[in-house]
Amino acid sequence: MQSVADFAPIVAERLLLRPFVVEEARVIVAYRRDPAVARFQGWGVVDPGEIERDLEAMRTRTPCDVPGPWFQLAVVSRATRGIVGDVGVRVLAEEPDAAEIGYTIAPAHQGQGYGTEAVSALCDWLLGPRALARVIAVVDGRNAPSIAVAENAGFHRIALVETRHTGAPTALLTYERRQSRAVP
Ligand SMILES: CC(C)(COP(=O)(O)OP(=O)(O)OC[C@H]1O[C@@H](n2cnc3c(N)ncnc32)[C@H](O)[C@@H]1OP(=O)(O)O)[C@@H](O)C(=O)NCCC(=O)NCCS
């Protein structure tokens, strides 16, 4: 059986994307409880025990090993080794050569290009070494920084659905980045 030990961290210019250890659950809890971070996310009450259990379960997996469940990677500063946020990825159960991603940067570290750098590095890995055909991100239309990150990282909007999300009417936007294939 594979485990996180089989996964080599994804290395970007200033960041590393690597699996969490269970003891780091408190870091996730701290920034997810920030109302500004939670505003456009659908995760509801942040339960430390649930996050610990999720991280524990991920220790016996690698990202994208099975379709369906999310896998969270810590976004870590190479300079300080501190966690600045996380990215999540799940292979679509109905489309196993595609994945959905999510991303969060803690407020103290926002506005420095970390979101863009982490998402770009994750997608480069998913569409390169991991050889997926496409990656999607579903973004609340009110979430301007998240839209900016997706567009900075090379995503294009492919769908807009008027709906209710986090208690208010809004548009949910689906962004996509596809594997670029060489023209024969
Ligand atoms: C979305 C998020 C990850 C961005 O992280 P970040 O590290 O600050 O992102 P970056 O620094 O790479 O880029 C932020 C972009 O948002 C833009 N931005 C920031 N505030 C903005 C605003 N109010 N209106 C428009 N654009 C805004 C910045 O100008 C920048 O774009 P640019 O590089 O084209 O100038 C972060 O805000 C976050 O974690 N938010 C809460 C969780 C969340 O909503 N995640 C997305 C779920 S899909």
Side-chain angles (χ1 to χ4, degrees):
M1 186 168 66
Q2 286 210 315
S3 76
V4 281
D6 301 307
F7 179 73
I10 298 169
V11 182
E13 189 185 341
R14 298 170 296 166
L15 302 172
L16 279 181
L17 311 187
R18 58 132 175 96
F20 280 97
V21 294
V22 176
E23 293 69 28
E24 290 168 333
R26 61 187 169 74
V27 183
I28 302 179
V29 170
Y31 58 69
R32 284 197 181 179
R33 281 188 169 162
D34 185 317
V37 170
R39 182 168 174 219
F40 298 120
Q41 308 276 23
W43 53 55
V45 176
V46 179
D47 173 2
E50 188 180 331
I51 292 178
E52 282 179 10
R53 285 190 293 279
D54 287 348
L55 295 183
E56 184 72 52
M58 287 174 211
R59 300 299 297 174
T60 59
R61 298 183 42 215
T62 55
C64 302
D65 52 355
V66 288
W70 285 93
F71 194 103
Q72 235 73 31
L73 289 165
V75 178
V76 176
S77 160
R78 291 174 63 184
T80 67
R81 298 282 151 177
I83 294 172
V84 302
D86 67 82
V87 290
V89 58
R90 70 178 183 109
V91 172
L92 302 183
E94 63 282 14
E95 191 184 337
D97 65 346
E100 177 180 358
I101 62 162
Y103 36 92
T104 302
I105 299 295
H109 302 287
Q110 290 178 6
Q112 301 173 59
Y114 287 150
T116 298
E117 186 175 326
V119 169
S120 299
L122 177 63
C123 289
D124 289 349
W125 179 76
L126 291 169
L127 299 173
R130 188 59 186 75
L132 295 181
R134 68 187 192 112
V135 180
I136 63 166
V138 180
V139 180
D140 189 308
R142 298 167 293 173
N143 194 347
S146 180
I147 291 171
V149 164
E151 292 180 346
N152 287 349
F155 283 72
H156 301 282
R157 188 188 300 181
I158 57 165
L160 181 158
V161 177
E162 301 282 357
T163 184
R164 288 186 70 82
H165 185 236
T166 60
T170 188
L172 278 187
L173 313 176
T174 301
Y175 278 82
E176 176 191 71
R177 194 175 128 186
R178 299 190 77 90
Q179 192 179 90
S180 50
R181 296 181 196 282
V183 178

